[in-house]
Amino acid sequence: LWVFPEMRGRGLGKALIEEGCNIYKGCVPYLKVDPSKTKLVKYYENLGFTKGEFDSEDNKLVMYRYEQN
């Protein structure tokens, strides 16, 4: 998922993520984020994602898991 820079700050990314999580209720959505992208990590944490396991396959991405309310 990616939002063009000129379209950021309008809630589009949040809306896409929330809708995707709503579509797959009953599943536990997850994503991988480069931990050096601290702004992006914080963004996903603010959307309800929590830190999960370190992915040993690619050795540089952290897995996050969405905890649905």
Side-chain angles (χ1 to χ4, degrees):
L1 177 66
W2 192 77
V3 175
F4 285 104
E6 63 271 13
M7 301 300 290
R8 292 179 186 163
R10 300 176 186 195
L12 297 173
K14 179 180 179 181
L16 288 169
I17 290 169
E18 287 177 349
E19 185 61 22
C21 290
N22 286 332
I23 288 171
Y24 291 101
K25 279 192 175 175
C27 299
V28 180
Y30 71 91
L31 54 92
K32 295 179 180 180
V33 180
D34 182 335
S36 71
K37 309 271 186 194
T38 55
K39 188 174 179 180
L40 190 57
V41 170
K42 186 70 176 163
Y43 174 78
Y44 286 122
E45 287 176 336
N46 288 336
L47 290 177
F49 285 81
T50 57
K51 291 182 182 177
E53 298 294 319
F54 183 74
D55 191 330
S56 60
E57 286 184 22
D58 48 35
N59 247 358
K60 66 178 186 175
L61 297 177
V62 175
M63 193 181 320
Y64 282 72
R65 193 170 94 184
Y66 185 76
E67 299 293 337
Q68 293 181 320
N69 299 328

